Amino acid sequence: MDGNAASNLMQAGADSVDIDDASIQAEKLEDFCSPEWQLRSRHFLVLSSAGKPIYTRYGNESQLSTLMSAVQAIISSFSDMSDPVRSMNVGPHTIVFFTSGPLYLLAVSDRNDPEELLRNELQLVHSQIVSILTSAQLTKIFEQRSNFDLRQLLGGTEGIIDQLVDRLDTDLSFALGSLDTLW
């Protein structure tokens, strides 16, 4: 490879990194009222039992706090019943809830994804969070302060969860419960 070709290749790689960084920044600026956010076919949200935003694949957690408060209110209103809310269909959207201790997880899809698939994916997101922060640590934190902002402890690890959610969208091994090949 000559010097110009290598230079062009390196420049193309740098341009793709800039585009990727720019698109990630744009994704994080979306809020639930923006057309870009509403046009996405799948969303994953994580919040605390107090309604505090913890994670969202698209948009900024702080800008989605009113939406997450509404989700917390829905889950809480059903928690008093013997049969907690597990899912609901709203128009073309399937909304699946998964609660585990102080964490509430929510998946929204307009792609006719089966409820069980979305629930399994939420369990994987939950497992990823618990692998970063232990379950005992989460329980202890929320017993001491139910309105604790968990984003402080997860700071810098959102990219890991983003990568998992992106792979859930493209890698069939998760949907099939199979192992990914090493080659």
Side-chain angles (χ1 to χ4, degrees):
M1 178 181 299
D2 68 4
N4 287 338
S7 175
N8 290 340
L9 185 60
M10 289 175 54
Q11 182 59 39
D15 289 345
S16 68
V17 169
D18 291 341
I19 291 169
D20 289 343
D21 288 345
S23 67
I24 290 170
Q25 291 301 325
E27 288 172 357
K28 290 300 178 185
L29 294 176
E30 297 172 7
D31 70 357
F32 70 95
C33 294
S34 72
E36 296 86 4
W37 195 85
Q38 293 176 6
L39 288 174
R40 298 201 182 272
S41 61
R42 291 171 49 131
H43 293 279
F44 288 85
L45 307 168
V46 181
L47 59 145
S48 71
S49 56
K52 293 270 190 180
I54 295 172
Y55 170 80
T56 179
R57 173 58 188 100
Y58 299 109
N60 182 301
E61 294 88 3
S62 297
Q63 293 175 335
L64 298 173
S65 61
T66 54
L67 175 65
M68 293 200 185
S69 295
V71 169
Q72 188 270 340
I74 291 169
I75 293 171
S76 293
S77 66
F78 280 90
S79 69
D80 296 337
M81 300 178 188
S82 61
D83 188 21
V85 65
R86 295 175 47 88
S87 69
M88 57 176 65
N89 293 312
V90 180
H93 296 91
T94 301
I95 304 170
V96 176
F97 301 89
F98 176 73
T99 60
S100 180
L103 298 182
Y104 294 169
L105 293 88
L106 171 81
V108 180
S109 174
D110 66 1
R111 301 186 323 187
N112 293 322
D113 290 329
E115 177 185 330
E116 195 59 36
L117 172 68
L118 292 172
R119 184 164 291 102
N120 289 340
E121 291 177 349
L122 288 173
Q123 289 172 341
L124 287 169
V125 171
H126 178 266
S127 295
Q128 182 67 59
I129 292 171
V130 170
S131 75
I132 296 168
L133 305 169
T134 66
S135 185
Q137 185 181 17
L138 283 172
T139 303
K140 182 179 177 185
I141 288 168
F142 284 106
E143 282 176 353
Q144 293 174 351
R145 287 184 42 203
S146 63
N147 64 347
F148 183 77
D149 189 355
L150 197 60
R151 291 177 293 177
Q152 298 169 4
L153 292 178
L154 287 174
T157 62
E158 296 90 356
I160 296 169
I161 303 169
D162 287 347
Q163 288 177 4
L164 171 63
V165 170
D166 290 344
R167 285 202 57 205
L168 292 172
D169 206 23
T170 58
D171 188 345
L172 288 178
S173 64
F174 292 105
L176 298 172
S178 64
L179 297 175
D180 200 8
T181 60
L182 297 176
W183 44 35

